Structure formats: C-alpha cells, structure tokens
Amino acid sequence: MWLKEQQEHCTYLPKSKTGKGVGYFLNQEKYLKVFLTDGDVPMDNSASERSIRPFTIGRKNWLLEKLMPWSEEIPEECRKSAAK
C-alpha cells in the first residue's frame, strides 16, 4: 500500500498534520475500509446526522420559560437570577 510505504520512508514529520493523518488512517484502516466489504454500510454518517437534526434544533425551542432556573414557579433554592 502506498501510504504504508510513505510511512516507512518517513517523507513527512510524524507530528505534522500530514503525519498525524497518515497515522490515524493506518490505525483505523480496517474500520475505514469496512464499507468496501459490506455494501449496506454507508461511507459517511450523514443519515444519522439528519435523523437527530430535528431534536437538536428543537431542543432550544422545547425549553419552556416556566422551567428555567429564574422562573417564579420553581422553588427558591433552585432559582437563579435572570441573565441580563
């Protein structure tokens, strides 16, 4: 493999960004190549990111004012003064 040859000849500094990238690839090679042997495995995680997007976007909208730490409806010991 070309990348392994490059590592053996060390044509880059091991602690450089290129060196770290090559090291990462070689350490993770079997995981990075899994999609080549199993057609059901996607090359990226875009589908999973799209599936959680509604939750992450809605998370802020779901926080109701009455549940916030400065709300009058919660006990005094849990209350926090309002942010300015």
Side-chain angles (χ1 to χ4, degrees), residues 16-31:
S16 69
K17 289 186 179 186
T18 302
K20 289 179 182 179
V22 169
Y24 175 80
F25 177 82
L26 293 175
N27 289 335
Q28 302 294 319
E29 182 177 6
K30 68 179 181 178
Y31 306 111

Side-chain angles (χ1 to χ4, degrees), residues 13 16 20 22 24 31 33 39 41 48 71 74 76-77 84:
L13 294 173
S16 69
K20 289 179 182 179
V22 169
Y24 175 80
Y31 306 111
K33 287 185 168 183
V41 176
S48 59
S71 172
I74 61 172
E76 181 65 37
E77 61 270 8
K84 295 181 181 180

Side-chain angles (χ1 to χ4, degrees), residues 9-77:
H9 298 320
C10 200
T11 58
Y12 53 84
L13 294 173
K15 294 197 178 204
S16 69
K17 289 186 179 186
T18 302
K20 289 179 182 179
V22 169
Y24 175 80
F25 177 82
L26 293 175
N27 289 335
Q28 302 294 319
E29 182 177 6
K30 68 179 181 178
Y31 306 111
L32 294 169
K33 287 185 168 183
V34 100
F35 74 92
L36 296 174
T37 57
D38 185 353
D40 291 332
V41 176
M43 291 175 63
D44 58 23
N45 66 348
S46 294
S48 59
E49 288 181 9
R50 280 192 305 272
S51 70
I52 65 169
R53 185 179 178 115
F55 173 76
T56 57
I57 290 174
R59 179 176 48 197
K60 185 176 181 184
N61 296 331
W62 299 327
L63 291 175
L64 305 173
E65 195 64 30
K66 67 181 182 178
L67 300 176
M68 300 308 282
W70 52 83
S71 172
E72 298 294 326
E73 296 182 33
I74 61 172
E76 181 65 37
E77 61 270 8

